[in-house]
Amino acid sequence: HIDTWVGPGSDGGAGWQLSTWFDLAPGRPPRKAIAVIPVWSPREVRYGDPVVPTAVDAPTVTLELPAANAFSLRTFVTGHGQGNEDDCAEFCPRTHTIRVNGARHDLAGWRNDCATSGVRGQRGNYWYSRAGWCPGSLVKPWDVDVSSDIPGRTARVAYAVTPYVNGCRPGAVPFIPTTCTLRTSAEYDGGNHTPPIYRLSTVLIAFR
């Protein structure tokens, strides 16, 4: 997904150009992947609303696995939404946790290199640190070797993120305007005040 915020009628232009290159290295891979098993398909995990807990968006999953010598969990997670309490979820650091058969793995998921990771001088506020991504830069995968967590042929996988209640949201009681970082109203406006969410996707890779 590439979100450019430009298009027909935009003062930033009507489109964009993309260049791609590949580095190919000869040799035998250290291990062979034999299966890629979806855990959570790409989804939006709502954050900060106690009426809609994150467990609804990323429920615990039980997987039946092939015979393999090793397993690795690969996750992409990025935060979006602004104007909320603590400016979550795009501009607030939080810890993400994945448990595999009860074993805990944590990810800070915070990018503090946005000022140098993309194209310098691009438009917008690209230099601010963000939750898992930077404008003009690729999203880095979170890879965790979970081989020791899976002694058999079954894996139970659960996701969680640091608990948070967004006081600047529609329906918040009591609503305190100072919790809105941009001093907006509690209503989302699609621009300065947008719902805090995490975009999440995970697969389990089996190796032989």
Side-chain angles (χ1 to χ4, degrees):
H1 173 78
I2 301 177
D3 196 348
T4 63
W5 292 89
V6 298
S10 168
D11 60 2
W16 40 273
Q17 292 182 331
L18 182 67
S19 298
T20 304
W21 63 93
F22 299 90
D23 290 328
L24 304 178
R28 183 183 298 274
R31 54 186 182 176
K32 180 180 180 180
I34 60 172
V36 178
I37 304 160
V39 180
W40 294 294
S41 58
R43 64 190 57 211
E44 291 186 352
V45 176
R46 288 160 286 185
Y47 190 46
D49 189 342
V51 177
V52 188
T54 58
V56 173
D57 302 299
T60 300
V61 175
T62 300
L63 306 171
E64 299 297 326
L65 307 176
N69 299 327
F71 295 95
S72 180
L73 206 62
R74 170 165 286 197
T75 297
F76 293 91
V77 59
T78 58
H80 307 270
Q82 63 177 356
N84 302 289
E85 185 167 351
D86 296 335
D87 228 357
C88 284
E90 184 170 333
F91 299 103
C92 66
R94 292 293 188 268
T95 298
H96 303 267
T97 299
I98 288 183
R99 295 182 184 271
V100 181
N101 290 335
R104 176 172 178 160
H105 304 277
D106 289 338
L107 169 73
W110 187 243
R111 292 286 298 269
N112 58 10
D113 60 339
C114 290
T116 58
S117 63
V119 178
R120 295 189 181 187
Q122 61 182 295
R123 301 184 66 172
N125 55 359
Y126 68 92
W127 55 86
Y128 290 116
S129 298
R130 282 175 167 81
W133 66 284
C134 295
S137 177
L138 56 82
V139 175
K140 299 176 182 178
W142 174 23
D143 290 319
V144 181
D145 189 323
V146 295
S147 304
S148 60
D149 304 336
I150 306 175
R153 299 282 292 274
T154 302
R156 185 172 172 84
V157 187
Y159 167 81
V161 62
T162 303
Y164 160 76
V165 175
N166 175 25
C168 180
R169 71 181 193 279
V173 179
F175 169 62
I176 304 173
T178 55
T179 62
C180 301
T181 57
L182 300 179
R183 301 299 185 265
T184 60
S185 73
E187 300 302 318
Y188 297 128
D189 60 15
N192 290 328
H193 187 203
T194 53
I197 61 168
Y198 286 103
R199 289 185 177 139
L200 170 74
S201 64
T202 301
V203 296
L204 185 67
I205 307 171
F207 296 93
R208 182 176 296 158

